[in-house]
Amino acid sequence: MYTGTSSRKSRALGTPSNPFPCSHEVMKPPVSVVDIIPQNINAAAVLAAEIKKIQESQVKISQWQQRRMKAEISWEESRSVLFEWEVCRHAVPVEDTKCFKCMIEASIKCEDCHRLFCYHCDMKKHFLNPFHDRFSWASGYYEALPPTVTVDLNGTFTDWRRYDLYLPIFECQECGYSLPADAKMLYDGGYFCSSARKSNTFFSTKLLNNWHFLKRNSPGLSMKSLLIALQALGSRNGRYILQDGCINFEAAKRTFQEWRFMQYELANVQSYNKTVCPACHTNPFAIHIDGNKKLFRYEKVGRGLRESYYSESVFAADNDVTNHLNHIESLKTKVLYGGRWQHGSGLTTGEETEQIFSYMSRYNSTTKNMLKAEREEELSESSFFWNQRKHDSLARVLASRFCKAKEAAELIRKELADLSLDEKQLLIWIAELTNLAQSLNKRSVSQNDVQKGIELVCDSIRTKKSQISGVAVSSKMRSRYRAKIEADRKKLRELIAVYNEDNTEKLSVDIDEEGNFPWYNDTPQPTDNVNLQEKRNAAEKLHMYNRTMKEQNVIQLEMKSYLDFYRKKLEEITQRLDDVQNKSAPPSWIIEEPGKYSIKKSSFQHVTSGLTALLLNMKKFYQIKLFEATNLFSEDREVEYNKFQTDSQDSEDSETDSDNSVVSIESQTDNEEMEETLFPLI
């Protein structure tokens, strides 16, 4: 960033400096690492001996451990060498070190130019380059120089002007014509002004771009932290910032927002919408409605004077949200638990949606004090960034999911074959479990249903106990599981009380939870002498097999949608190129909006070259996406690519055809008409 009142450093990341010849040792021929390593052989040998003892004491060592041990040995051998290089780098040049330009004795080193200068050449070079990091060694060590100070051979510091910045003036040496630089020239040079009309503050677009990616990958960072870091960096390199010359926070924040608004509109010109998923843009298969991202906001914060720039592109209007909440509160919702038992479902997204909620929740600390418009813009930008990252890896994720579903289906098919059960027997068990789940929700149950209910609740308790040690990763999750176990035990006591009223053989509350129940001892039929746990496990395997087969079908439909999406985008971008290159009038997709970053229709002819370049760039992007997806979906992943080329068969027909290869059980259970879950207690 650079201003008209004080110097600001625009580099967010430091530029690596060249190793200057700074002492007579460094001026010698380069010393190889091989010549220095023998000094460290003893220490490395000791470490190697210790590692060898560890290896001998272990029966087996993994490849990762071997790589880590080799890395430890390598760093142990290199530390002294690297430290000596760092110490030598701080040594000042010897006498008779020449200026690279005029070949007289030098007195200044510039780490941005990677050159040594005399004080005359330094003034000529850096009069208009005040942001270069320059150092002198007049005192026997490197000392940072302010932008307006130079040093001669005698160590005399000369301040040649005020610490102000001026716009350059371009002057012809022959005719004397001069042309002062304006905001447009600075913009072409990579600086974004705080105002197009009159501005004395300019920000480097590299800084804005670096801050965008740093902020999106580390949501907890604030812009104030960035500005403090920039001021500290400038002070460290000699640009001392007084109290009245600090970077203006409000100007920096608004400039960054406006720059991001412009990038958003550029993407719209290129027909690139980050809020659309290429895989499910036509018909999303699964939707997650949990919108609680822990993004709290203080009531004391005002609403602000303006509306969000992104309007309703991501977040709905307040009135629409209020009306929707009033509507859904009057509905009688019907919830079906157990996704694997639901008709038409694949493996679904599961907890993957929680990843974006976890990411968004990290913006809480920096947005809870923002005004409404700024907060909505910040969260919209975070959503765009997340979707951009999703678009970049979506093709590979789809291919990976297809392979996993295919492998899982084959594994479960083998497990079903090992059970030695026919489909008819499995369907009988599934119907039995379904009827049992429905009867347990009634007030009165039969004696047989009581026995099965006791088995069901015991199995639920056993499952939740295993989840406490194997699934729960926090004390909060373990507390939830324990609460569910206590609710199941209460239900178990009620069922045991009903059973003891009608039977002489009494059951205790401490009944075996592993499936050894007394009523199986008197059953003569071996096929019926199967406890509920075994029946449920077999039914789960069959349902899981159907879900994996359905998942493959769903992913194939998403792959087809993905390819169709980018084919249509290529056609659209090609049409836009034709509109720009072959038409004198502005095309219909160029919309002039007041208060927005848009192209005026009267200025269309002046921006055709820029529009052509933007569209050609996006066309290449779409071609690469289509090429990568074609390779992933066809050859590498063994997917029937010809199926994607067929446009005569719509998605519903494809889904129906795929269902014919799946073991169908939905008609037997009639899940769509169930009012309650199959397993309300599990």
Side-chain angles (χ1 to χ4, degrees):
M1 179 181 72
Y2 113 80
T3 79
T5 57
S6 61
S7 172
R8 308 287 185 262
K9 187 61 180 174
S10 64
R11 289 165 43 201
L13 301 176
T15 303
S17 60
N18 240 10
F20 289 92
C22 53
S23 67
H24 62 281
E25 289 86 355
V26 181
M27 294 299 292
K28 294 179 181 179
V31 181
S32 65
V33 178
V34 179
D35 296 334
I36 304 177
I37 283 179
Q39 302 175 8
N40 311 304
I41 286 295
N42 294 333
V46 173
L47 180 62
E50 294 178 357
I51 294 176
K52 187 176 181 180
K53 291 180 180 179
I54 297 175
Q55 291 177 333
E56 293 175 352
S57 63
Q58 295 179 346
V59 178
K60 183 179 179 180
I61 185 170
S62 65
Q63 294 183 355
W64 178 85
Q65 289 174 316
Q66 293 177 5
R67 292 195 301 269
R68 294 302 306 163
M69 289 179 179
K70 291 180 180 179
E72 289 295 333
I73 294 175
S74 176
W75 278 109
E76 177 68 22
E77 295 174 347
S78 304
R79 284 170 184 159
S80 296
V81 179
L82 296 175
F83 190 71
E84 290 175 9
W85 291 351
E86 176 65 18
V87 172
C88 292
R89 192 178 70 86
H90 289 270
V92 300
V94 297
E95 297 181 358
D96 299 330
T97 303
K98 305 299 183 182
C99 173
F100 89 102
K101 189 172 184 179
C102 64
M103 301 308 295
I104 66 174
E105 189 172 353
S107 58
I108 296 171
K109 177 182 78 169
C110 178
E111 290 191 347
D112 290 277
C113 299
H114 305 301
R115 293 289 187 271
L116 299 178
F117 293 90
C118 65
Y119 72 99
H120 290 293
C121 296
D122 176 60
M123 292 180 62
K124 294 179 182 178
K125 175 66 177 179
H126 295 110
F127 185 81
L128 296 178
N129 292 281
F131 294 149
H132 284 200
D133 295 332
R134 299 154 51 248
F135 299 88
S136 72
W137 57 88
S139 302
Y141 58 89
Y142 285 117
E143 185 177 3
L145 293 177
T148 62
V149 174
T150 187
V151 181
D152 58 16
L153 295 175
N154 298 324
T156 303
F157 289 82
T158 303
D159 194 338
W160 62 70
R161 59 181 173 85
R162 288 179 54 192
Y163 186 28
D164 288 334
L165 301 177
Y166 302 92
L167 294 178
I169 298 177
F170 302 96
E171 183 175 341
C172 178
Q173 298 295 335
E174 297 183 0
C175 65
Y177 175 78
S178 61
L179 177 65
D182 55 8
K184 174 65 166 55
M185 293 182 181
L186 290 173
Y187 191 88
D188 293 338
Y191 292 95
F192 194 83
C193 55
S194 58
S195 174
R197 295 177 177 271
K198 182 180 180 181
S199 177
N200 62 351
T201 304
F202 297 85
F203 295 81
S204 170
T205 54
K206 291 182 179 180
L207 170 66
L208 299 177
N209 202 34
N210 290 338
W211 169 241
H212 167 67
F213 285 102
L214 182 63
K215 172 67 174 176
R216 299 306 159 214
N217 286 283
S218 302
L221 291 178
S222 64
M223 177 162 281
K224 284 188 177 180
S225 300
L226 171 70
L227 300 183
I228 292 173
L230 290 178
Q231 292 176 174
L233 181 63
S235 177
R236 179 179 180 274
N237 292 327
R239 289 175 290 278
Y240 304 107
I241 300 177
L242 302 178
Q243 186 64 29
D244 58 349
C246 295
I247 303 175
N248 189 307
F249 170 73
E250 293 297 331
K253 180 179 68 174
R254 188 56 189 269
T255 302
F256 176 71
Q257 292 173 343
E258 295 293 331
W259 180 74
R260 288 307 306 167
F261 299 161
M262 180 181 293
Q263 307 308 308
Y264 172 76
E265 297 297 348
L266 281 177
N268 289 337
V269 169
Q270 295 175 302
S271 184
Y272 184 52
N273 190 349
K274 297 180 182 179
T275 61
V276 176
C277 176
C280 60
H281 62 284
T282 55
N283 185 23
F285 180 75
I287 300 176
H288 201 298
I289 62 174
D290 182 9
N292 181 15
K293 305 176 182 64
K294 299 180 181 178
L295 294 171
F296 308 110
R297 183 171 181 269
Y298 289 143
E299 294 181 356
K300 64 182 181 181
V301 180
R303 306 294 291 178
L305 301 177
R306 65 181 182 90
E307 295 295 330
S308 170
Y309 184 89
Y310 300 116
S311 184
E312 301 179 19
S313 59
V314 176
F315 296 95
D318 292 344
N319 293 334
D320 295 339
V321 174
T322 303
N323 295 334
H324 177 69
L325 291 175
N326 294 334
H327 174 66
I328 63 176
E329 288 176 359
S330 62
L331 296 178
K332 295 182 179 179
T333 59
K334 184 187 298 183
V335 181
L336 295 176
Y337 299 91
R340 297 177 182 177
W341 290 67
Q342 295 185 31
H343 170 66
S345 66
L347 297 181
T348 69
T349 56
E351 294 297 322
E352 296 172 4
T353 313
E354 298 295 338
Q355 296 176 6
I356 184 173
F357 296 158
S358 175
Y359 170 77
M360 296 290 290
S361 66
R362 294 161 64 188
Y363 283 92
N364 176 50
S365 60
T366 56
T367 60
K368 59 187 177 184
N369 284 307
M370 286 185 177
L371 297 176
K372 181 178 182 298
E374 296 177 356
R375 184 172 186 267
E376 185 172 330
E377 289 162 356
E378 178 73 7
L379 298 178
S380 297
E381 281 288 342
S382 65
S383 301
F384 296 153
F385 179 78
W386 180 273
N387 292 342
Q388 172 70 61
R389 193 162 59 179
K390 173 185 173 182
H391 289 183
D392 293 341
S393 59
L394 184 56
R396 191 167 298 277
V397 168
L398 288 175
S400 176
R401 283 176 54 197
F402 182 83
C403 287
K404 290 180 179 179
K406 190 174 181 180
E407 294 173 359
E410 181 63 21
L411 180 62
I412 298 172
R413 187 190 64 79
K414 293 180 180 179
E415 293 178 355
L416 285 172
D418 294 338
L419 294 177
S420 301
L421 295 172
D422 57 5
E423 181 181 352
K424 183 178 180 180
Q425 183 63 45
L426 285 174
L427 293 176
I428 293 174
W429 286 356
I430 291 173
E432 178 184 345
L433 293 169
T434 303
N435 294 331
L436 174 61
Q438 292 174 335
S439 66
L440 288 177
N441 292 308
K442 300 177 182 178
R443 293 184 178 274
S444 61
V445 295
S446 64
Q447 182 63 32
N448 185 61
D449 287 343
V450 170
Q451 295 177 359
K452 299 298 183 183
I454 292 174
E455 294 185 46
L456 184 64
V457 176
C458 289
D459 185 49
S460 175
I461 295 175
R462 180 191 58 80
T463 303
K464 290 182 175 64
K465 282 184 176 180
S466 64
Q467 289 174 338
I468 289 179
S469 58
V471 178
V473 295
S474 64
S475 58
K476 184 181 293 185
M477 291 182 64
R478 288 188 286 271
S479 298
R480 288 200 298 264
Y481 279 124
R482 293 189 182 102
K484 293 179 180 179
I485 290 175
E486 186 60 32
D488 285 348
R489 284 176 175 164
K490 180 180 179 182
K491 182 68 175 178
L492 179 61
R493 288 192 292 269
E494 295 175 357
L495 292 173
I496 290 177
V498 175
Y499 178 86
N500 290 337
E501 290 178 0
D502 301 330
N503 292 273
T504 57
E505 183 182 5
K506 306 300 182 181
L507 294 179
S508 65
V509 180
D510 300 329
I511 191 172
D512 188 2
E513 298 173 0
E514 297 300 326
N516 299 321
F517 301 100
W519 46 80
Y520 286 112
N521 299 330
D522 300 330
T523 304
Q525 297 85 357
T527 56
D528 294 337
N529 195 17
V530 179
N531 61 36
L532 192 68
Q533 177 184 341
E534 295 176 356
K535 293 180 180 180
R536 179 196 168 195
N537 291 338
E540 284 282 351
K541 285 184 171 58
L542 181 57
H543 279 300
M544 189 61 182
Y545 178 77
N546 284 341
R547 298 290 73 80
T548 54
M549 297 300 295
K550 185 66 178 180
E551 180 75 1
Q552 294 180 57
N553 174 249
V554 170
I555 295 174
Q556 286 183 348
L557 293 177
E558 290 180 342
M559 289 176 174
K560 179 182 182 301
S561 177
Y562 186 96
L563 295 173
D564 291 342
F565 176 84
Y566 281 109
R567 290 196 194 99
K568 293 178 182 178
K569 282 297 182 181
L570 271 177
E571 295 175 359
E572 181 181 356
I573 212 73
T574 303
Q575 181 61 44
R576 290 197 174 191
L577 275 169
D578 182 69
D579 293 343
V580 172
Q581 295 173 344
N582 301 326
K583 292 185 178 180
S584 58
S588 59
W589 48 270
I590 290 184
I591 302 175
E592 182 179 346
E593 296 185 57
K596 293 281 188 177
Y597 285 96
S598 57
I599 299 173
K600 294 182 179 180
K601 295 186 176 181
S602 58
S603 306
F604 172 69
Q605 297 298 329
H606 301 286
V607 298
T608 53
S609 298
L611 284 175
T612 301
L614 287 172
L615 296 175
L616 286 173
N617 185 18
M618 189 53 61
K619 182 178 181 181
K620 182 62 177 294
F621 172 78
Y622 289 151
Q623 289 173 340
I624 293 175
K625 284 293 183 183
L626 190 59
F627 176 77
E628 291 178 348
T630 302
N631 291 336
L632 287 170
F633 297 166
S634 57
E635 299 175 359
D636 297 340
R637 303 301 175 183
E638 300 179 358
V639 180
E640 296 179 1
Y641 179 67
N642 293 332
K643 180 179 179 180
F644 300 146
Q645 303 288 352
T646 304
D647 296 329
S648 60
Q649 189 176 24
D650 58 13
S651 300
E652 294 181 358
D653 295 337
S654 300
E655 184 174 352
T656 304
D657 293 342
S658 178
D659 282 343
N660 293 333
S661 62
V662 180
V663 180
S664 178
I665 61 171
E666 284 76 7
S667 60
Q668 301 290 334
T669 58
D670 197 15
N671 287 351
E672 295 182 354
E673 297 181 359
M674 289 178 57
E675 296 182 356
E676 298 293 342
T677 172
L678 291 176
F679 293 105
L681 302 175
I682 296 179

